[in-house]
Amino acid sequence: LNSPTCLLTPAMRATIHPRAHAAWHRAGGNGAAGPLPSGPKYRAVAAAAQAGPGSASAPRFAQQQGPQPVTTLPVLKVAVGPSPNDPTMPLELQLEVLTPQSGRACPVVIFTPGFLLNSSLYRSYARRLASWGYTVLLWDLSDVLDDTLSCAYMKQAIDMCAKDPRLRQYCNCSKLLLMGHSRGAKLSCLLAEQEPRVQGLCLIDPVDNSSFGPSGVGYPSSLPALQAAASKRQLPVLIVGAALNTDVVPPEANWRRFVAAAAAGRAPTWEVVLNGCSHLQFLDKQQPLFALFSNNGPTPDDVVRQITQVRPLLFFLSLFS
């Protein structure tokens, strides 16, 4: 397809669209019907899904900032012990939280950045979601750790949302969502299998192990974890793929593998493909060093972000009535 927008894979259409406006846990053939959201907002979400999730079909409300003013809480820096890579250096967990100014406890989105990328490069995603009633946590570590340890600290960040007096008033952790780009999407899958509080996954051009980054101690493939979470809990999954990512993402590690893993677990799965987009165009700001390895597609970066940010919003609205 030459369109710079996005499409729903035809093979997935029949199984996804009938469930797009329902409680996603209802899917998977187990017959356990759940309550259906109602009202004009959800009818708009359903209509957009039935038309296909391209930018032109998204309801107008979802293409704009939400009605709620957004507050950015003071950045929290938490010392979590010595770095496993160098015991003489402290390891720090940094949390930036964006939340509606209402001060109420809202559904929580944990956003994990890509490899060697700072979470501040995804702040526009957090601001968009917060304006629609979500508390979004952007998190970073002061050192680069393996996948297993990174997941442990992600879980610690989630626990802080539930227990820390500076955060808990803004966080309804019974409605917990994981979202990530690239390696951050992989980490989200690994943790989703371990963490029963997770109610949905949003994976932005996810990357699994490959010849560039093979499996090993501390670096498991996330595909078995995704399939297990999908199978055991019917975990809803939204996957956004960049069609022009092959300069940095081998085919054996790209978003199609994640779609296959989720489908194998019979999870309700929403797959969106951006045809004119490469792997790093999702960032709020291009990084010159990384740009040496990845060429941009014909779709402008701001259009990529606009299209991509609408998808999680519609997906999350369909999860919680």
Side-chain angles (χ1 to χ4, degrees):
L1 295 175
N2 296 320
S3 168
T5 58
C6 50
L7 67 130
L8 193 69
T9 303
M12 305 294 289
R13 188 178 304 277
T15 57
I16 295 171
H17 279 171
R19 296 194 284 253
H21 63 293
W24 284 80
H25 64 269
R26 180 183 180 189
N30 58 14
L36 298 181
S38 60
K41 176 174 66 174
Y42 294 98
R43 286 196 293 272
V45 172
Q50 293 289 348
S55 61
S57 68
R60 188 179 301 275
F61 79 86
Q63 300 180 44
Q64 303 168 356
Q65 289 293 115
Q68 303 193 43
V70 175
T71 294
T72 302
L73 303 182
V75 173
L76 299 180
K77 296 183 178 182
V78 182
V80 292
S83 170
N85 298 324
D86 183 353
T88 66
M89 297 294 293
L91 182 66
E92 187 175 77
L93 177 64
Q94 179 172 299
L95 310 175
E96 180 180 359
V97 176
L98 287 80
T99 188
Q101 280 186 8
S102 65
R104 293 192 294 268
C106 299
V108 177
V109 180
I110 308 294
F111 197 113
T112 303
F115 183 61
L116 297 180
L117 296 170
N118 190 273
S119 65
S120 63
L121 294 170
Y122 306 89
R123 195 174 283 131
S124 68
Y125 294 78
R127 183 165 294 278
R128 171 73 68 92
L129 288 169
S131 75
W132 283 101
Y134 296 87
T135 293
V136 185
L137 185 146
L138 302 169
W139 72 283
D140 299 281
L141 290 167
S142 58
D143 200 357
V144 180
L145 304 183
D146 67 35
D147 294 346
T148 301
L149 287 172
S150 296
C151 284
Y153 288 111
M154 193 195 312
K155 186 178 186 304
Q156 183 170 336
I158 294 171
D159 290 339
M160 287 185 64
C161 290
K163 300 176 182 178
D164 192 295
R166 295 167 292 183
L167 299 179
R168 65 188 180 196
Q169 73 181 82
Y170 307 103
C171 299
N172 178 359
C173 289
S174 69
K175 296 180 177 181
L176 178 64
L177 305 156
L178 301 185
M179 183 173 177
H181 170 232
S182 191
R183 183 205 183 206
K186 176 192 178 186
L187 296 179
S188 297
C189 292
L190 290 171
L191 185 62
E193 181 193 14
Q194 308 166 25
E195 179 51 74
R197 290 175 291 184
V198 175
Q199 302 294 303
L201 276 174
C202 175
L203 312 177
I204 301 176
D205 210 32
V207 180
D208 198 56
N209 298 345
S210 69
S211 55
F212 295 156
S215 298
V217 177
Y219 296 94
S221 169
S222 63
L223 300 177
L226 175 57
Q227 182 174 338
S231 177
K232 295 174 184 176
R233 308 208 314 271
Q234 290 297 293
L235 187 69
V237 185
L238 166 65
I239 300 170
V240 179
L244 304 182
N245 68 6
T246 53
D247 50 3
V248 290
V249 183
E252 70 269 21
N254 75 7
W255 89 90
R256 294 185 179 90
R257 300 294 305 278
F258 289 81
V259 172
R266 296 184 59 81
T269 305
W270 205 5
E271 178 191 12
V272 178
V273 181
L274 277 66
N275 297 297
C277 170
S278 63
H279 185 62
L280 295 174
Q281 288 187 258
F282 299 95
L283 307 180
D284 286 351
K285 181 180 179 181
Q286 285 290 329
Q287 303 301 290
L289 178 61
F290 290 90
L292 295 174
F293 304 96
S294 179
N295 296 317
N296 282 2
T299 305
D301 291 2
D302 60 335
V303 176
V304 169
R305 290 194 301 273
Q306 170 69 11
I307 294 172
T308 304
Q309 289 172 16
V310 170
R311 307 310 124 190
L313 175 59
L314 296 178
F315 176 62
F316 294 159
L317 288 174
S318 73
L319 295 180
F320 303 131
S321 59

